[in-house]
Amino acid sequence: MDKLLLLYEINKCSTTKSKKMKLTKLFPVAMSMACALMLSSCSKEDAQTPQPLAESVNGNSGAKTNAGEALPYFASTAWLPGFEKYPADWSKLVGPNPSIPAGLSSLTSLWGLEYWSASVDPKWIKPLQPVPGNPTANSVLTVKSFAHTSAETYDKSGAFTTIKNLKAGKTYTITFYVATTTVAGLASNGETSVPASSAEIKMLNVSGGSMTTKINFAGLQGTWVKKTITFTAQADNAKFVFSGLTPLGNVYSYIHLFVDRNSIVEFIPFQPMVVQ
């Protein structure tokens, strides 16, 4: 009798263990079915598809961020050509000799004029090539210079703009292009056009008060020279002044500037990763 009872208990234990093992194996299946039933009962509003993040605002456009903060703004020079015409947010620098002209030119002629009269045809002897990265741009800001040195302010024209939405103490980089060309068809006035020796950029209201940068052409007539300047703002704006110099006295030069709409960024110094 004891032996039969022992066999019964062993068989009962074995059966119970077998059932537990089957239940354990079936548990993941049951959970999957439950999840499927739950999802099938949800409406479309309950189970939304993840949406992509909206693109960030152009960092150099002068627009505002999501927090409402205005971004740095350096006005583009893209505009319609014309004598004594200037792009939006640009002005002529009024100096001792305001009669020296400035304005906007095309890639092929002074002030965008061609066949001005029977005796005057102000085309560039060597036309400007498209500005790198801006193949459709067809106008450039042009100044004229008889000045051989920076001190001869009365012998050159200039143009300026105000870079806005800066933060005092922050460092920024601006990138732009300069070039020089000579003109034909204006010799009747006794002037001689030659390639400029350099473009000259003066910045005001920056760290140190002001800074002057010269970009030498070294005979690069009709060729765009790319330049990047780094500066630290003293206030919420800084003045950018553009002019140029001629290599000899009693001759004049034309100097061109192109600024696109994405020409300023806040400078963030490289910080190497520190491994803990």
Side-chain angles (χ1 to χ4, degrees):
M1 183 65 181
D2 292 337
K3 291 181 178 180
L4 289 173
L5 182 60
L6 179 62
L7 288 172
Y8 172 77
E9 292 296 333
I10 292 173
N11 183 59
K12 181 180 177 181
C13 182
S14 176
T15 302
T16 302
K17 185 182 291 186
S18 176
K19 288 181 179 179
K20 287 182 177 179
M21 290 178 67
K22 288 180 180 179
L23 287 172
T24 301
K25 291 180 179 179
L26 289 173
F27 184 76
V29 177
M31 287 299 293
S32 298
M33 292 178 66
C35 288
L37 289 171
M38 182 182 70
L39 290 174
S40 65
S41 66
C42 292
S43 66
K44 291 182 180 179
E45 288 77 12
D46 294 329
Q48 296 180 358
T49 303
Q51 298 297 316
L53 295 175
E55 292 184 1
S56 61
V57 177
N58 183 341
N60 313 309
S61 66
K64 292 187 176 181
T65 64
N66 292 334
E69 180 181 343
L71 296 173
Y73 175 69
F74 183 22
S76 169
T77 56
W79 209 252
L80 294 176
F83 175 71
E84 293 292 353
K85 290 184 178 180
Y86 302 92
D89 297 317
W90 285 84
S91 301
K92 184 177 182 179
L93 184 66
V94 179
N97 191 349
S99 64
I100 299 178
L104 285 157
S105 297
S106 71
L107 300 181
T108 56
S109 67
L110 176 64
W111 320 134
L113 300 171
E114 296 187 14
Y115 305 109
W116 196 357
S117 67
S119 59
V120 178
D121 183 15
K123 289 182 179 178
W124 305 128
I125 293 175
K126 183 178 181 180
L128 288 163
Q129 297 299 308
V131 182
N134 295 269
T136 60
N138 191 41
S139 66
V140 294
L141 184 57
T142 300
V143 295
K144 184 178 182 180
S145 177
F146 293 91
H148 181 53
T149 66
S150 301
E152 300 173 68
T153 55
Y154 52 86
D155 277 341
K156 61 181 179 179
S157 62
F160 73 93
T161 188
T162 300
I163 301 175
K164 303 175 182 178
N165 305 333
L166 305 177
K167 291 182 179 179
K170 293 289 186 179
T171 300
Y172 301 88
T173 61
I174 51 175
T175 300
F176 51 89
Y177 293 85
V178 292
T180 183
T181 54
T182 55
V183 67
L186 294 177
S188 59
N189 59 11
E191 297 178 348
T192 302
S193 172
V194 298
S197 58
S198 63
E200 189 171 83
I201 306 298
K202 188 170 185 178
M203 297 198 65
L204 305 173
N205 212 19
V206 297
S207 180
S210 66
M211 59 184 291
T212 300
T213 303
K214 289 184 180 180
I215 304 105
N216 294 320
F217 291 117
L220 297 176
Q221 183 180 174
T223 301
W224 289 108
V225 179
K226 183 179 181 180
K227 183 65 178 178
T228 297
I229 293 177
T230 301
F231 69 94
T232 300
Q234 279 192 330
D236 61 357
N237 67 84
K239 184 174 286 187
F240 178 98
V241 183
F242 166 62
S243 62
L245 301 175
T246 189
L248 302 168
N250 300 319
V251 296
Y252 69 93
S253 299
Y254 289 107
I255 309 96
H256 314 292
L257 171 73
F258 182 84
V259 178
D260 71 18
R261 61 185 182 89
N262 297 306
S263 293
I264 182 169
V265 295
E266 183 178 338
F267 178 73
I268 301 176
F270 173 74
Q271 297 180 346
M273 183 181 295
V274 177
V275 179
Q276 299 294 337

